[in-house]
Amino acid sequence: MATQAIEYIDNKPLYGIRYDWELIFKVYKQLDCPDESYDPSRSLREGTRAGCRWWLGMSKRKVGKTTGYLLIGLIMHWLYGTEIQYIRQREEMNAPKITKDMWAIILEYGYIEKITDGYYNSIRYESRRWYLCKVTDGCVEYQSDESCCSMLSIDNWMNIKSGYSAPLGDLIVFDEFIGATYYPDEFVHLTQIISTIKRFRRSSIIIMLANQINLYSQYFHELCIADAVQSIPIGGRSIITSSRGTKVYVERIEQSETVKRQDEIDVQLYYGFENPKLASITGDEWATDNYQHIPEGDAQQIYNHIYIEYTNKYARLDLVNHETLGLCCFIHWASRTYPDSLILSAEERTDPRRIYRTGRGAMDILLRKLYSDNRVYYATNDVGAFVDSYLAYIRKLRTPV
């Protein structure tokens, strides 16, 4: 259902709908959402004017990022017939028992009824799709023939690529993109899904949302924003352009003052512990572990030619004999490698110095032994987080070592 006359980019349906974003934002404003809820219209306005097609929104929990973009999607659906493409990492994350509450706030505040001028007031799930409907006294009077939202997952990318069609799937929302794990070629599989959805259209936009968990997420590297994103403060936003001209709008969303005050009390009552892993709850900076730091005392250098290469960064692993702790591994950041370096990497072996994952034989046995005996020490917490991200990544690689 489209309530607006459809115009196309360059008057060519192949290129997709020419959306009147100001009209969409006007309808969103008329919903009169609470001041403390996240308003995506500012980011979308700035990004669309700059020619962005990718948006990254990161914040602590309970900010309302997903709800905000789902509202934008419902408005686009009512005006233009757009179908939201909602993506999660794995198919089980889209199970009805998990996603049944994704519309809870929208239903509680009656936003569907407001957007559709009372024609619909609820939403139903059928076969991985959501449909607007009219419910009276608990019974469905009628339901839209066209779905407003389709549920997809990256682990199902092969089936999607071969048999899926979404001619109006112009709002692509990848929710919780920073997860506990990153699977090999996950970004490539995501882009395969995006390509299948949008075809030749220039009207599609991609929204990636996350609670800030991993400063060294592989996604930042894949989007060519790894260095820039680290310098964006909470409440900051930036448009980053790749070397080939793709623009990515990055926002670290800040809570409203009202919610911030409520959460300060909540944190004090329930989560006031010195644990950086709680960052997605407490609203602190990126969630990291506290790693054991390099101890004081004399340490005799045994071998310092081993490096880890990951997300275009290097860490050096120094094998040392500490005066009181014995054999240890001290890990530091490194800015370069050398002709005699041994480089642990999951990248293509274009350099003969590269050793796949953690190597084979003696090196792999030694490194595993040092880790199992807790004899690994880090110069800083961030280099510890970097190494953990690398180890988590290579554990997911299916190629046997």
Side-chain angles (χ1 to χ4, degrees):
M1 176 183 293
T3 58
Q4 291 294 305
I6 304 297
E7 298 180 8
Y8 296 101
I9 296 172
D10 293 342
N11 295 317
K12 295 182 179 180
L14 180 69
Y15 293 161
I17 296 170
R18 183 162 66 84
Y19 290 100
D20 183 344
W21 286 104
E22 291 305 320
L23 174 61
I24 293 169
F25 302 149
K26 179 181 178 181
V27 175
Y28 179 87
K29 187 175 181 180
Q30 290 172 348
L31 296 178
D32 195 26
C33 297
D35 292 339
E36 61 268 20
S37 60
Y38 172 66
D39 180 355
S41 60
R42 175 179 176 178
S43 299
L44 287 172
R45 179 179 285 111
E46 291 177 352
T48 52
R49 288 177 177 176
C52 295
R53 290 297 182 270
W54 291 78
W55 279 257
L56 268 68
M58 298 166 289
S59 74
K60 65 174 293 184
R61 299 179 185 274
K62 299 185 295 184
V63 170
K65 305 180 295 296
T66 302
T67 297
Y69 280 106
L70 289 177
L71 283 174
I72 291 291
L74 290 177
I75 294 168
M76 295 170 69
H77 176 73
W78 181 248
L79 296 177
Y80 299 101
T82 307
E83 183 188 49
I84 303 166
Q85 306 294 296
Y86 183 85
I87 302 175
R88 294 297 301 270
Q89 188 184 46
R90 301 191 307 277
E91 187 168 7
E92 59 262 30
M93 294 176 175
N94 282 332
K97 64 182 180 180
I98 296 175
T99 59
K100 63 183 177 65
D101 294 328
M102 64 186 285
W103 307 97
I105 298 298
I106 291 172
L107 292 171
E108 178 183 347
Y109 283 85
Y111 290 135
I112 292 175
E113 195 166 9
K114 292 179 181 179
I115 291 170
T116 65
D117 297 322
Y119 191 78
Y120 298 114
N121 63 3
S122 191
I123 192 166
R124 290 186 69 192
Y125 180 84
E126 292 182 11
S127 302
R128 296 190 180 90
R129 296 178 187 268
W130 293 91
Y131 297 83
L132 296 179
C133 60
K134 179 75 170 185
V135 174
T136 303
D137 296 328
C139 298
V140 176
E141 289 187 43
Y142 51 84
Q143 176 178 301
S144 173
D145 294 330
E146 304 297 331
S147 61
C148 63
C149 180
S150 182
M151 311 292 281
L152 307 170
S153 62
I154 294 178
D155 63 353
N156 200 31
W157 72 276
M158 281 291 290
N159 291 330
I160 294 170
K161 181 182 176 182
S162 62
Y164 186 71
S165 176
L168 293 172
D170 279 339
L171 183 67
I172 302 168
V173 179
F174 180 16
D175 209 1
E176 299 287 357
F177 77 91
I178 302 180
T181 58
Y182 175 91
Y183 293 93
D185 289 330
E186 186 173 313
F187 179 74
V188 176
H189 298 161
L190 171 65
T191 55
Q192 292 281 6
I193 293 173
I194 292 170
S195 178
T196 298
I197 291 170
K198 79 173 201 64
R199 301 298 180 180
F200 294 100
R201 299 195 307 277
R202 302 174 182 175
S203 51
S204 299
I205 63 173
I206 302 112
I207 312 296
M208 298 177 61
L209 304 174
N211 302 315
Q212 43 208 23
I213 297 173
N214 183 0
L215 180 59
Y216 297 100
S217 168
Q218 184 76 4
Y219 276 104
F220 299 148
H221 172 62
E222 299 284 10
L223 290 165
C224 303
I225 61 173
D227 292 331
V229 77
Q230 296 183 41
S231 63
I232 299 175
I234 293 177
R237 53 182 59 85
S238 179
I239 295 175
I240 303 166
T241 305
S242 75
S243 60
R244 300 186 65 177
T246 300
K247 295 181 178 180
V248 181
Y249 189 103
V250 182
E251 180 180 16
R252 292 193 64 191
I253 302 165
E254 187 173 23
Q255 289 180 311
S256 68
E257 290 301 320
T258 300
V259 174
K260 193 181 297 184
R261 286 193 296 270
Q262 292 172 348
D263 263 17
E264 285 174 355
I265 297 172
D266 193 49
V267 168
Q268 183 180 2
L269 290 173
Y270 295 100
Y271 310 112
F273 310 114
E274 294 297 332
N275 187 341
K277 286 185 177 181
L278 300 178
S280 63
I281 298 174
T282 62
D284 298 326
E285 292 295 323
W286 303 94
T288 59
D289 280 323
N290 278 319
Y291 294 86
Q292 58 181 8
H293 284 51
I294 294 173
E296 296 181 357
D298 291 334
Q300 181 182 0
Q301 192 77 247
I302 299 175
Y303 194 77
N304 66 344
H305 300 281
I306 305 172
Y307 292 78
I308 289 175
E309 176 190 27
Y310 181 60
T311 64
N312 286 341
K313 294 180 182 293
Y314 295 103
R316 191 181 78 236
L317 285 62
D318 294 349
L319 299 179
V320 302
N321 186 18
H322 189 269
E323 61 179 348
T324 58
L325 299 172
L327 180 63
C328 299
C329 180
F330 292 173
I331 302 183
H332 312 257
W333 283 118
S335 59
R336 54 166 296 183
T337 59
Y338 298 87
D340 61 350
S341 298
L342 301 176
I343 305 170
L344 307 180
S345 175
E347 301 296 325
E348 295 180 5
R349 196 171 184 272
T350 56
D351 186 330
R353 299 173 301 164
R354 280 182 176 158
I355 298 172
Y356 188 57
R357 293 173 61 174
T358 55
R360 294 176 182 268
M363 180 182 294
D364 181 57
I365 293 170
L366 175 60
L367 293 176
R368 290 177 186 273
K369 178 65 173 173
L370 289 169
Y371 267 94
S372 65
D373 290 348
N374 199 27
R375 292 175 176 270
V376 179
Y377 299 82
Y378 302 90
T380 58
N381 278 339
D382 59 351
V383 74
F386 168 82
V387 173
D388 268 4
S389 291
Y390 174 73
L391 295 176
Y393 177 66
I394 64 173
R395 279 194 291 269
K396 293 296 178 182
L397 296 175
R398 295 185 176 89
T399 306
V401 178

Coordinates of all heavy atoms in Angstrom, one line a residue, residues 177-179 182 213-222 226 286 310-311 389:
F177 N 24.8 -5.6 15.3 CA 25.9 -6.1 14.4 C 27.2 -6.4 15.1 O 28.0 -7.2 14.6 CB 26.1 -5.1 13.2 CG 26.9 -3.8 13.6 CD1 28.3 -3.8 13.5 CD2 26.2 -2.7 14.1 CE1 29.0 -2.7 13.8 CE2 27.0 -1.6 14.4 CZ 28.3 -1.5 14.3
I178 N 27.4 -5.8 16.2 CA 28.6 -6.2 17.0 C 28.1 -7.2 18.0 O 27.5 -6.9 19.1 CB 29.2 -5.0 17.8 CG1 29.6 -3.9 16.8 CG2 30.4 -5.4 18.6 CD1 30.2 -2.6 17.5
G179 N 28.4 -8.5 17.7 CA 28.0 -9.6 18.6 C 29.2 -10.1 19.3 O 30.3 -9.6 19.3
Y182 N 32.4 -12.9 15.5 CA 32.3 -12.5 14.1 C 32.7 -13.7 13.2 O 33.8 -14.2 13.4 CB 33.3 -11.3 13.8 CG 33.4 -10.9 12.4 CD1 32.5 -9.9 11.9 CD2 34.3 -11.5 11.5 CE1 32.6 -9.5 10.6 CE2 34.4 -11.1 10.2 CZ 33.5 -10.1 9.7 OH 33.6 -9.7 8.4
I213 N 30.3 -2.8 22.1 CA 30.9 -3.9 22.8 C 32.4 -4.1 22.5 O 33.2 -4.1 23.4 CB 30.2 -5.2 22.5 CG1 28.7 -5.1 22.9 CG2 30.8 -6.4 23.1 CD1 27.8 -6.2 22.5
N214 N 32.7 -4.1 21.2 CA 34.1 -4.5 20.8 C 34.7 -3.4 20.0 O 34.3 -3.2 18.8 CB 34.0 -5.8 20.0 CG 35.4 -6.3 19.6 OD1 36.4 -5.6 19.9 ND2 35.5 -7.4 18.9
L215 N 35.6 -2.7 20.6 CA 36.3 -1.6 19.9 C 37.0 -2.1 18.6 O 37.2 -1.3 17.7 CB 37.4 -1.0 20.8 CG 38.2 0.2 20.3 CD1 37.3 1.3 19.9 CD2 39.2 0.6 21.4
Y216 N 37.4 -3.4 18.6 CA 38.1 -3.9 17.4 C 37.2 -4.8 16.6 O 37.7 -5.8 16.0 CB 39.4 -4.6 17.9 CG 40.3 -3.7 18.6 CD1 40.4 -3.6 20.0 CD2 41.1 -2.8 17.8 CE1 41.2 -2.7 20.6 CE2 41.9 -1.9 18.4 CZ 42.0 -1.9 19.8 OH 42.8 -0.9 20.4
S217 N 35.9 -4.5 16.5 CA 35.0 -5.3 15.7 C 35.5 -5.3 14.2 O 36.0 -4.3 13.7 CB 33.6 -4.6 15.7 OG 32.8 -5.2 14.7
Q218 N 35.5 -6.5 13.7 CA 35.9 -6.7 12.3 C 35.1 -5.8 11.3 O 35.6 -5.4 10.3 CB 35.8 -8.1 11.9 CG 36.3 -8.5 10.5 CD 37.8 -8.5 10.4 OE1 38.5 -8.4 11.4 NE2 38.3 -8.7 9.2
Y219 N 33.9 -5.5 11.7 CA 33.1 -4.6 10.8 C 33.7 -3.2 10.6 O 33.6 -2.6 9.6 CB 31.6 -4.5 11.4 CG 30.7 -5.6 11.0 CD1 30.4 -6.6 11.9 CD2 30.3 -5.7 9.7 CE1 29.6 -7.7 11.5 CE2 29.5 -6.8 9.3 CZ 29.2 -7.8 10.2 OH 28.4 -8.8 9.8
F220 N 34.3 -2.7 11.7 CA 34.9 -1.4 11.5 C 36.0 -1.4 10.5 O 36.2 -0.5 9.7 CB 35.5 -0.9 12.8 CG 34.4 -0.7 13.9 CD1 34.8 -0.9 15.2 CD2 33.2 -0.3 13.6 CE1 33.8 -0.7 16.2 CE2 32.2 -0.1 14.6 CZ 32.5 -0.3 15.9
H221 N 36.8 -2.5 10.5 CA 37.8 -2.7 9.5 C 37.2 -2.9 8.1 O 37.7 -2.3 7.1 CB 38.7 -4.0 9.9 CG 39.7 -4.4 8.9 ND1 40.7 -3.6 8.5 CD2 39.8 -5.5 8.1 CE1 41.4 -4.2 7.5 NE2 40.9 -5.4 7.3
E222 N 36.2 -3.7 8.0 CA 35.6 -4.0 6.7 C 35.0 -2.7 6.1 O 35.1 -2.5 4.8 CB 34.5 -5.1 6.8 CG 35.0 -6.4 7.3 CD 35.8 -7.2 6.2 OE1 36.1 -6.6 5.2 OE2 36.0 -8.4 6.5
A226 N 38.0 1.9 10.9 CA 38.5 1.4 12.2 C 39.2 2.4 12.9 O 39.1 2.5 14.2 CB 39.4 0.1 11.9
W286 N 33.9 2.0 25.4 CA 33.9 0.7 24.9 C 34.1 -0.4 25.9 O 35.0 -0.2 26.8 CB 34.9 0.6 23.8 CG 34.8 1.6 22.7 CD1 35.4 2.8 22.6 CD2 33.9 1.5 21.5 NE1 35.0 3.4 21.4 CE2 34.1 2.7 20.8 CE3 33.0 0.5 21.1 CZ2 33.4 2.9 19.6 CZ3 32.3 0.8 19.9 CH2 32.5 1.9 19.2
Y310 N 46.1 -8.1 12.4 CA 44.6 -8.2 12.4 C 44.1 -6.8 12.3 O 44.6 -5.8 12.9 CB 44.2 -8.8 13.8 CG 42.7 -9.0 13.9 CD1 42.0 -9.8 13.0 CD2 42.0 -8.4 15.0 CE1 40.6 -10.0 13.2 CE2 40.6 -8.6 15.1 CZ 40.0 -9.4 14.2 OH 38.6 -9.5 14.4
T311 N 43.1 -6.7 11.4 CA 42.4 -5.4 11.1 C 43.5 -4.3 10.9 O 43.3 -3.1 11.3 CB 41.5 -4.9 12.3 OG1 42.3 -4.7 13.5 CG2 40.4 -6.0 12.5
S389 N 40.2 -10.3 20.3 CA 39.4 -10.2 19.1 C 40.0 -11.1 18.0 O 39.3 -11.8 17.3 CB 39.3 -8.8 18.6 OG 38.6 -8.0 19.5

